[in-house]
Amino acid sequence: MREKPISEVAQPIGLDLIAPERFAPVLARLALLALGLGAGTGLLLAVIVAWPVAVVSGVVLGAPTALYALAVARRRLWLTATVLHARTLWRHRRLDLAQASGAEMLVYPGRLSRVAVRVTVGGDAQIVPVALYTDAGSGREMHLLGLRRLADALAAAPLPTALAVSGVLVAQIQAEIADADLEHRPLYRATRSVRARYSVQPVVLAAAEIAALG
């Protein structure tokens, strides 16, 4: 792959498998609905029980769903140069993939199979989903620029397994650009190989399996 200008590489690139903008309105409505339901329940209960009990009941009913929707809306993954950012409701982690001490490819088998890359830097680890596929032969894959930047960041790590995973991502990019069918896309072949084992637990692909995908 050709070299990218430093200014272009330094630009943040989202790695979310599904763009947050697609489900943000749904999450906002869910949070408002949960808060409204909790408040309404609290007001109704205030008529027949003491108001502290009514308030607590309303909060218990509405707050968990509203907090869950807020947590999902806040969750983001993005890459700036070789630094992976992972933001949750309460935390923002930064892992420099160029300093990775471990890199693995995971497959979560099932009716909706997921493929992810798990990167370890020191004592911290982060899972980055890169594709999901259904039994019917459809699915969703990370956008090409995200795959490209993730592959480049992994290739910067002084780690053979990181380079191997990077090679699989590059092969996936080439297959998508060529508009290859699923059977010729490395990430889909990874799910097929795991399904053949009848495994129900997440599977860490061995080095030989990763090399075969590329």
Side-chain angles (χ1 to χ4, degrees), residues 1 82 97-98 148-159 161-167 169-170:
M1 294 183 292
T82 61
L97 302 191
R148 162 70 190 273
R149 290 283 293 276
L150 182 58
D152 288 348
L154 288 169
L159 195 66
T161 53
L163 187 60
V165 173
S166 174
L169 299 183
V170 171

Side-chain angles (χ1 to χ4, degrees), residues 11-36:
Q11 293 177 355
I13 295 296
L15 299 183
D16 296 289
L17 193 55
I18 301 176
E21 294 78 12
R22 298 191 61 176
F23 54 79
V26 175
L27 292 173
R29 288 195 295 270
L30 178 61
L32 290 175
L33 179 62
L35 292 174

Side-chain angles (χ1 to χ4, degrees), residues 151-184:
D152 288 348
L154 288 169
L159 195 66
T161 53
L163 187 60
V165 173
S166 174
V168 172
L169 299 183
V170 171
Q172 176 73 18
I173 293 170
Q174 294 170 341
E176 290 190 40
I177 291 176
D179 198 24
D181 57 35
L182 287 180
E183 294 293 342
H184 293 88

Side-chain angles (χ1 to χ4, degrees), residues 17-151:
L17 193 55
I18 301 176
E21 294 78 12
R22 298 191 61 176
F23 54 79
V26 175
L27 292 173
R29 288 195 295 270
L30 178 61
L32 290 175
L33 179 62
L35 292 174
L37 182 60
T41 300
L43 290 173
L44 289 175
L45 289 176
V47 178
I48 56 176
V49 300
W51 70 265
V53 176
V55 169
V56 171
S57 299
V59 170
V60 169
L61 181 63
T65 301
L67 282 175
Y68 172 77
L70 179 60
V72 174
R74 282 273 302 170
R75 192 175 299 149
R76 294 288 189 279
L77 284 172
W78 72 94
L79 199 61
T80 304
T82 61
V83 179
L84 176 64
H85 299 258
R87 190 184 72 189
T88 60
L89 181 59
W90 309 115
R91 191 180 179 190
H92 181 178
R93 293 191 297 164
R94 300 170 180 82
L95 293 82
D96 189 351
L97 302 191
Q99 306 299 321
S101 55
E104 299 169 309
M105 182 160 283
L106 306 176
V107 178
Y108 297 79
R111 295 181 65 87
L112 184 64
S113 300
R114 293 181 295 141
V115 186
V117 174
R118 180 167 61 195
V119 184
T120 304
V121 180
D124 212 353
Q126 179 62 43
I127 292 177
V128 181
V130 291
L132 57 86
Y133 301 102
T134 68
D135 286 342
S138 61
R140 179 175 295 275
E141 299 157 332
M142 181 182 289
H143 59 92
L144 291 176
L145 183 55
L147 286 173
R148 162 70 190 273
R149 290 283 293 276
L150 182 58

